[in-house]
Amino acid sequence: MLAAFTVLAAGAAVLAGHLPGGDDGVPGLAVRAGAGVVVAAIVLWAGSRFLGRAPATARAGFAVAAPALVWFAAITLVAGAALLSGSAELDRAALGSAAVAALTVAPLLVLAAALPEELVFRGYVQHVLGRHLAPMSTIAAQAALFAVCTGLVTRSAAGLTGAFLTGVFLGYLRQFTGDLWGVLGLRAAMTVSTVFLGAAGFVFTRAPAVWNLALGVGAALCVLLVAVLLHRRNPRPVSEPGDAAPRPRTGLNQKGILYDVGSSYLPGQHSRARWRPDVVREELRVIREDLHCTAVCLFGESPQRLEEAARAALDQGLYVWLQPRRFDAPVPRVLDNLAEVAGIAQRLREEHPDRVGLNVGCEISLLHRGVLPGGLGARTVGLAVVSAIFPPYLGRRTNRVLRRMVAVARERFDGPLTYGAGTWESVDWRPFDVVGVNHYTDVMTRSGYRQGLRRAASHGKPVLVTEFGCCSYDGAQAKGGSGADIMDWRDLDDRRIKGSHVRDEQVQADHIEYQLDVFETEDVDGAFLCMFIEGDCRWSPDPTRDQDMASFGIVRPPSRESGLDADDGHWEPKAAFHALARRYGADVPAGSR
């Protein structure tokens, strides 16, 4: 497909260059437009599914047209501000001819470039790469291919950087919305505005670099902002066009949940300050008998707590995965902790054959020091930049640490190994026995939720969804693993909820059922809900202090005013508790995966 696009586009450009007016003359544009239509026909014939379906409602139609409308509005505002401030000028006498050019030349440019480029790169290429790469890696890869092909067609390297950044922007919009029609409309708007302003003699006369940045980057940011706002109105994940039909429904072999034995995310904070073995045993009984779980992933800092909880879980007949976590710790400390837990896992495995596995870690590129420099805030920004611009660097750094973790684990544990990978991480799964993905729905996965699971299954190993779920407020299903970000952690004694959020336990329950519907109709061996309880996130009738709405727990800790404590086993089941119990207790035959 890329070869066909490059050859046809380059050949048309060469031919157009020999016609009157060259590449930009009407005869030349007509030739290039003809080649673009041929490319479009080839793509549509080979993979029309990448376009999705046409909007069927006025609301969907607005969502498709919104990027183009916002682009026109932003360009008009910036250009108008520049003219009013005396920072730009245009030939008013040429406005009529500019309008004619926008109506005649721009459509030819859309057919010559925008249409075939979007169908090929944001349609075909991005879809195919998405089967094998993480979302941000997919966007960066298609943007790089777009830039290279643009350079080959234009026979110039001058615009490679601009083409790459344009590819990233359009690819992100395509990934976020799950829709190619909106991206095509945006490209048409970009073409029309460029032709019109150029024909009208519009130029910046003062601080052109600053104004050009405002014109291009500012308009792009406005488009993304409106896309986010529209997404908040309809946060439910969308189907990826072209995905194969779901598999026949089969039950999960491991019906799991995460159980925190105690974690510290900031100095002075601990999710389970007091350890009561009797409470832990009772909660694991509830997990087995009331929730009908067949497996549990125990995570936390203390190896001793992990061992004690694991023995209680094994006594209940649960399959146990141990996952040591040392939040924000350097790699040597992480490895030391992993070594101790691996030894514990081996002892348990010898006592309980085929019922113990080791999960070596969770999203290490974000949660641990050593993959990227700096603290959590710096790493969060670094991830956004590096994964978008140069994902191979992030992949190499992540896999280098993971290989060290696997080596430490294998020295002490001979059972199955997995890892809880973030959706942005491109993991080399060869050293592992089981593929593990923390598979939430968020801005990067909503348009390819099934596709992400199929990418995980393509490694030919069993797939575990090592984390899924959401928080308990309106809109939480769209935030995925970042749902807890609405909580302000600056005052650990009085953590407040930022903004105006409405508690809604049914949102959490419904979304868990939606995700289980997907898992049971994909090649997923087991899934682990995040999580049973976050004991230090207390419920409150005051929405600004209702920390439980920003937790992933499916049971509600008591309020501070009650004088009761979750560490003593005081909690109430939420709507998601009953939903999970109903789903895990349903008689769905497990498949052979």
Side-chain angles (χ1 to χ4, degrees):
M1 191 65 68
L2 286 178
F5 167 80
T6 305
V7 170
L8 283 171
V14 170
L15 178 60
H18 291 85
L19 296 176
D23 287 356
D24 297 327
V26 172
L29 285 175
V31 170
R32 291 170 57 198
V37 170
V38 171
V39 171
I42 293 173
V43 176
L44 290 173
W45 173 78
S48 59
R49 61 186 183 275
F50 302 131
L51 256 181
R53 61 181 184 276
T57 66
R59 180 177 176 180
F62 174 73
V64 167
L69 295 175
V70 172
W71 181 269
F72 280 134
I75 292 295
T76 300
L77 287 174
V78 174
L83 289 170
L84 290 174
S85 65
S87 299
E89 61 182 27
L90 58 75
D91 184 359
R92 297 182 184 275
L95 290 177
S97 60
V100 172
L103 293 173
T104 56
V105 177
L108 291 175
L109 280 172
V110 169
L111 292 175
L115 177 65
E117 288 173 0
E118 296 314 308
L119 286 174
V120 170
F121 292 98
R122 264 62 69 182
Y124 178 82
V125 172
Q126 187 159 326
H127 183 87
V128 172
L129 290 176
R131 296 175 178 173
H132 309 285
L133 302 176
M136 290 307 298
S137 298
T138 296
I139 292 171
Q142 67 80 20
L145 289 171
F146 174 60
V148 170
C149 289
T150 299
L152 292 174
V153 170
T154 60
R155 302 182 300 280
S156 171
L160 291 183
T161 301
F164 175 76
L165 294 177
T166 299
V168 170
F169 164 58
L170 295 172
Y172 183 87
L173 185 65
R174 163 73 170 90
Q175 181 73 30
F176 178 75
T177 62
D179 174 69
L180 188 57
W181 288 105
V183 179
L184 275 169
L186 175 60
R187 277 298 301 276
M190 295 167 68
T191 301
V192 170
S193 61
T194 300
V195 170
F196 179 82
L197 291 176
F202 181 88
V203 292
F204 293 114
T205 56
R206 289 191 298 186
V210 175
W211 281 105
N212 277 311
L213 188 66
L215 194 69
V217 177
L221 291 176
C222 288
V223 169
L224 292 177
L225 176 61
V226 170
V228 170
L229 294 175
L230 289 172
H231 168 56
R232 287 180 178 176
R233 292 177 58 193
N234 183 27
R236 190 169 182 83
V238 296
S239 299
E240 171 69 9
D243 275 347
R247 291 167 44 116
R249 185 180 297 275
T250 54
L252 300 171
N253 290 323
Q254 291 193 15
K255 304 174 184 179
I257 195 168
L258 271 71
Y259 187 85
D260 183 9
V261 302
S263 304
S264 177
Y265 302 107
L266 286 174
Q269 176 272 338
H270 201 277
S271 63
R272 191 180 288 261
R274 292 184 296 109
W275 180 251
R276 286 191 50 178
D278 58 326
V279 170
V280 173
R281 286 194 297 270
E282 172 60 17
E283 290 177 343
L284 289 167
R285 183 202 65 78
V286 169
I287 286 173
R288 180 66 186 98
E289 296 182 5
D290 297 350
L291 288 176
H292 309 292
C293 291
T294 61
V296 64
C297 177
L298 305 171
F299 73 93
E301 296 181 346
S302 168
Q304 292 73 31
R305 288 187 178 188
L306 285 171
E307 181 173 9
E308 193 165 349
R311 292 188 180 280
L314 289 165
D315 288 343
Q316 290 292 333
L318 291 162
Y319 189 100
V320 173
W321 288 94
L322 295 178
Q323 185 190 71
R325 292 192 188 182
R326 286 283 184 179
F327 185 76
D328 208 29
V331 172
R333 188 179 176 192
V334 171
L335 295 177
D336 289 342
N337 196 45
L338 174 60
E340 186 173 355
V341 174
I344 292 170
Q346 181 62 27
R347 291 198 301 271
L348 294 172
R349 175 175 163 79
E350 291 170 356
E351 298 170 18
H352 302 272
D354 301 323
R355 290 180 54 200
V356 179
L358 181 59
N359 185 326
V360 300
C362 172
E363 299 176 0
I364 62 171
S365 60
L366 175 64
L367 300 184
H368 297 322
R369 298 176 182 267
V371 176
L372 293 177
L376 178 61
R379 293 198 301 273
T380 302
V381 175
L383 273 177
V385 174
V386 175
S387 61
I389 304 301
F390 195 49
Y393 172 80
L394 178 63
R396 284 198 299 270
R397 298 277 296 183
T398 301
N399 286 302
R400 185 180 304 164
V401 175
L402 283 176
R403 283 192 292 271
R404 294 175 65 185
M405 297 174 77
V406 169
V408 168
R410 291 291 189 199
E411 288 178 0
R412 296 160 179 83
F413 179 68
D414 60 10
L417 293 184
T418 191
Y419 165 69
T423 53
W424 61 88
E425 293 178 330
S426 295
V427 175
D428 178 3
W429 290 107
R430 288 175 297 179
F432 294 93
D433 304 293
V434 178
V435 175
V437 289
N438 295 347
H439 206 51
Y440 296 97
T441 54
D442 53 34
V443 296
M444 296 309 297
T445 63
R446 68 184 297 264
S447 67
Y449 196 63
R450 288 184 181 274
Q451 190 180 66
L453 295 172
R454 295 173 187 184
R455 183 168 59 247
S458 68
H459 298 280
K461 297 182 178 184
V463 174
L464 290 182
V465 176
T466 41
E467 290 185 21
F468 72 99
C470 74
C471 299
S472 307
Y473 59 89
D474 186 30
Q477 71 272 46
K479 296 181 180 294
S482 62
D485 289 353
I486 66 170
M487 193 186 305
D488 188 342
W489 286 71
R490 288 177 295 182
D491 184 352
L492 294 181
D493 295 326
D494 187 20
R495 286 178 286 170
R496 300 289 187 98
I497 301 300
K498 298 179 289 187
S500 299
H501 295 278
V502 178
R503 181 184 183 89
D504 191 337
E505 292 185 10
Q506 198 59 43
V507 164
Q508 184 186 40
D510 290 346
H511 193 61
I512 287 170
E513 295 218 49
Y514 161 76
Q515 291 177 297
L516 287 173
D517 284 339
V518 174
F519 302 156
E520 290 179 354
T521 53
E522 290 295 333
D523 196 8
V524 174
D525 192 65
F528 291 79
L529 177 68
C530 180
M531 61 180 77
F532 183 74
I533 188 171
E534 292 194 63
D536 68 325
C537 292
R538 290 179 174 269
W539 171 78
S540 173
D542 179 357
T544 66
R545 287 184 166 89
D546 185 7
Q547 300 164 357
D548 177 64
M549 80 158 75
S551 88
F552 290 85
I554 60 170
V555 299
R556 185 186 74 189
S559 67
R560 191 176 302 276
E561 292 76 16
S562 69
L564 302 176
D565 197 318
D567 289 351
D568 296 320
H570 297 290
W571 47 260
E572 295 293 333
K574 294 158 68 172
F577 181 98
H578 300 296
L580 188 70
R582 182 175 62 255
R583 291 300 296 264
Y584 278 0
D587 185 17
V588 180
S592 56
R593 292 177 165 88

